[in-house]
Amino acid sequence: MTSLRFLILSLARPKLRRKVALFSALLFLVALPFQAVAHGTLFFEFAPDEANPVTIFELETPSQPFYPPNDFLRGFDIWVSNTGTAGTATFGLRDEADNLLSSKTITIPHINPAYGGTRLHIDFDSNVAVDYSKLYRIRVISSMPELALYNASQFQILQHNTTGLPYYEVQEALLGSVKQNYAFKFALYETQESSIPVISAIHPVVLGPTQARIDFNANEPVDARVDFSHDGTVQSTSWTNTFSFCTPGHIPCSVLLNTIGGKTYTFTLFIKDEWGNEASVPDSFSTPVDPDVPITPPPPPPTTPPPPVTPPPPGNEPPPPPPPGNPPTNPPPPTIPPEIPPPPPITPPVSPPPPNGSGSGSSTTPPPDGGSGPVSVTIIDPTTTTLSDGATETTYSLLITWNPSPEIEATDGYAVEIYNDQNELERRVIVSSETRELRVDKLAPGVYRINIYSNRNGSLIKIGDYTITIKPIEAKSPFTATRIILAALLTLGGVGGVILGIEAHRRKKKAFSERARGAFDTYQH
């Protein structure tokens, strides 16, 4: 009782009350980053260290689109600050058709700005089924004047030339319907579920006589092991106790096997998700003969004595050969092969003329615009839009086509990437395996590089690239031609005036001379 009375009296003091309030706030902020541990399993996170806050009160409704590399979504994290008083915000999960799948309204306390922002966790009421190949959005609605969301650029990345799509799940953030040049920091969570993982694009890769690799894709993060055999004796790899996501379009998950050359193996791939749900698929492969292992020849057949020779019956003996030194009478003439005519002389092929008659010294420098591989790009349909301030903006569309050879045609779709002249990813679009043409709209004037990748059995193969320059259309005044004509007429008029003036002066001088001569003649007479 004494301790309680002391605490009450102490809290009545203003200075101590402020210290207790500050201590409680610090405990809350420290606890925020660790709240997510109790809300499921983290399976994806986009949270670069360097991030910038954007206050959303006076902006269009913010949202963050993404592709979830999983089959369920229970909750997510965002990074925020709130320099004002506590308030509420509503977070909604929407599909690509803008249908609301789930929402949650929470109270956000006063949160001081911090480097990179403060992690805040939001849980939906239950797991929401999602599809890794579909686009989803987390949308934030709040009237809090000081609520800020932290964002970072995911486009300042080196252009990849191997398999794997960096931050494939993360799309540009939206303010209303306008894409930004950044993405909001976010993380995705899942809680326990009983859905069996789905294996796709299983692909045995024989690395040599003594090693093989089993590649595959799955619709959620999984662990894997393999049972394999070539003679009925089953060998097994072990679970790794790590869970990797390898949805179609990503680098596939893999399991390495130690093998023997010259054998045909049957195997079964087993996968399981983080909740123990398991699936399996059988398949087979053959290894090449190992040249370093000598081949044991088969044993020779058993030796048996030759059968006895039975002499021919009497009266059927062949005639005895002639005695040596006495050739047979009238020997047959020797056979002379017919004469074969010599082959005709070989005429060397005529070299084709050089293209355009340029000869061997033609330039091999590629043009500024162009590409490699079966890719072509055409600029179409400039569109002029009037902005809210009365100004106009002209954007352009690109028609991109490609025609890969049969050996690199996609089995799981094509990826089209567009980079600007700063090596920043402007667009990334995934299309089906049957698609060979794509239209991309609303591109500003500039230089763009387009890369096309084929997703073949879970591996990305670059088909080709193309560089194109979009030049702005110069606006021409309707009075330009009129001004040119008037200037020409004025110029011609000035020249004509000078000529007429000279002619008039010449005529006046001639008339004066004639009058003067007449007057002189009159004076003489």
Side-chain angles (χ1 to χ4, degrees):
M1 180 64 69
T2 303
S3 300
L4 179 61
R5 184 180 303 166
F6 175 77
L7 178 60
I8 294 174
L9 292 174
S10 299
L11 291 176
R13 301 175 183 175
K15 290 184 178 180
L16 184 57
R17 187 165 61 247
R18 286 196 297 269
K19 291 181 180 179
V20 172
L22 179 60
F23 179 74
S24 301
L26 288 175
L27 282 179
F28 178 80
L29 292 178
V30 171
L32 273 176
F34 301 99
Q35 284 184 339
V37 175
H39 296 280
T41 299
L42 172 70
F43 63 84
F44 178 79
E45 180 174 295
F46 170 71
D49 289 337
E50 295 184 7
N52 303 303
V54 55
T55 304
I56 66 172
F57 177 61
E58 295 183 351
L59 302 177
E60 296 289 337
T61 303
S63 60
Q64 177 56 54
F66 62 94
Y67 289 92
N70 210 328
D71 54 352
F72 287 96
L73 175 64
R74 175 59 186 272
F76 61 93
D77 293 338
I78 59 171
W79 276 254
V80 302
S81 65
N82 177 28
T83 57
T85 58
T88 61
T90 299
F91 299 86
L93 177 66
R94 293 179 175 270
D95 62 15
E96 57 188 0
D98 204 31
N99 298 312
L100 180 63
L101 305 179
S102 186
S103 66
K104 193 74 171 182
T105 300
I106 65 169
T107 299
I108 300 178
H110 175 90
I111 302 175
N112 288 324
Y115 178 79
T118 298
R119 183 193 294 256
L120 181 67
H121 186 81
I122 297 94
D123 264 333
F124 297 123
D125 293 334
S126 61
N127 271 332
V128 181
V130 292
D131 185 338
Y132 66 88
S133 64
K134 305 295 184 182
L135 188 66
Y136 297 84
R137 289 187 297 129
I138 296 173
R139 193 168 72 169
V140 185
I141 299 177
S142 178
S143 59
M144 299 172 63
E146 303 299 334
L147 176 62
L149 304 181
Y150 280 72
N151 62 80
S153 172
Q154 87 277 32
F155 303 131
Q156 295 288 354
I157 55 178
L158 293 177
Q159 179 188 355
H160 62 273
N161 54 10
T162 59
T163 57
L165 311 178
Y167 285 133
Y168 158 66
E169 299 80 8
V170 182
Q171 300 293 295
E172 305 99 322
L174 298 175
L175 294 179
S177 60
V178 179
K179 291 183 178 181
Q180 306 301 304
N181 61 354
Y182 57 78
F184 293 116
K185 295 173 63 173
F186 71 100
L188 305 176
Y189 291 79
E190 178 196 43
T191 53
Q192 186 166 358
E193 43 86 7
S194 58
S195 177
I196 296 175
V198 178
I199 301 174
S200 62
I202 186 168
H203 181 55
V205 180
V206 178
L207 303 176
T210 60
Q211 196 171 61
R213 189 182 73 226
I214 309 301
D215 293 343
F216 65 93
N217 294 101
N219 66 330
E220 60 177 312
V222 293
D223 192 4
R225 71 175 183 86
V226 173
D227 289 350
F228 60 107
S229 173
H230 70 88
D231 58 0
T233 302
V234 178
Q235 304 178 66
S236 299
T237 64
S238 301
W239 298 107
T240 64
N241 296 321
T242 59
F243 297 88
S244 304
F245 66 83
C246 46
T247 53
H250 287 76
I251 298 176
C253 294
S254 301
V255 180
L256 286 175
L257 308 179
N258 295 322
T259 59
I260 299 174
K263 305 294 182 182
T264 297
Y265 283 85
T266 58
F267 70 90
T268 301
L269 169 67
F270 296 88
I271 66 170
K272 66 178 180 181
D273 63 16
E274 295 177 88
W275 317 113
N277 304 308
E278 191 171 308
S280 62
V281 173
D283 207 332
S284 63
F285 63 89
S286 297
T287 57
V289 175
D290 191 344
D292 297 330
V293 177
I295 299 176
T296 304
T303 304
T304 56
V309 179
T310 304
N316 293 330
E317 293 87 354
N326 295 324
T329 307
N330 299 327
T335 301
I336 301 175
E339 183 179 357
I340 300 175
I346 299 175
T347 303
V350 178
S351 301
N356 301 326
S358 58
S360 59
S362 60
S363 173
T364 59
T365 303
D369 288 1
S372 64
V375 180
S376 63
V377 182
T378 306
I379 303 173
I380 58 174
D381 298 343
T383 302
T384 301
T385 305
T386 302
L387 304 179
S388 58
D389 59 357
T392 59
E393 177 186 50
T394 301
T395 59
Y396 301 80
S397 301
L398 294 182
L399 184 64
I400 306 170
T401 59
W402 60 94
N403 187 24
S405 56
E407 63 270 13
I408 60 173
E409 284 185 344
T411 59
D412 299 299
Y414 294 94
V416 180
E417 294 183 346
I418 302 177
Y419 290 82
N420 61 24
D421 56 359
Q422 301 298 318
N423 201 31
E424 297 172 340
L425 182 64
E426 288 277 348
R427 305 284 175 87
R428 185 171 195 285
V429 184
I430 295 178
V431 297
S432 67
S433 303
E434 293 75 27
T435 302
R436 298 292 186 276
E437 182 177 282
L438 175 68
R439 173 180 173 139
V440 180
D441 298 321
K442 296 184 178 180
L443 289 172
V447 180
Y448 296 94
R449 185 178 64 258
I450 297 96
N451 296 336
I452 311 292
Y453 296 90
S454 166
N455 186 344
R456 188 172 179 84
N457 298 321
S459 297
L460 288 185
I461 303 171
K462 186 173 182 180
I463 296 175
D465 55 54
Y466 200 98
T467 300
I468 192 165
T469 302
I470 300 178
K471 297 181 179 179
I473 296 177
E474 295 182 0
K476 295 183 178 180
S477 170
F479 304 105
T480 300
T482 304
R483 287 199 302 266
I484 293 174
I485 294 172
L486 289 176
L489 291 175
L490 290 174
T491 302
L492 293 175
V495 173
V498 172
I499 295 174
L500 292 176
I502 294 172
E503 180 64 20
H505 178 73
R506 186 183 65 80
R507 290 179 179 177
K508 288 181 180 180
K509 184 177 180 181
K510 181 178 179 182
F512 176 79
S513 299
E514 290 176 352
R515 287 196 302 271
R517 185 180 297 109
F520 180 76
D521 291 341
T522 303
Y523 174 77
Q524 282 184 332
H525 290 88

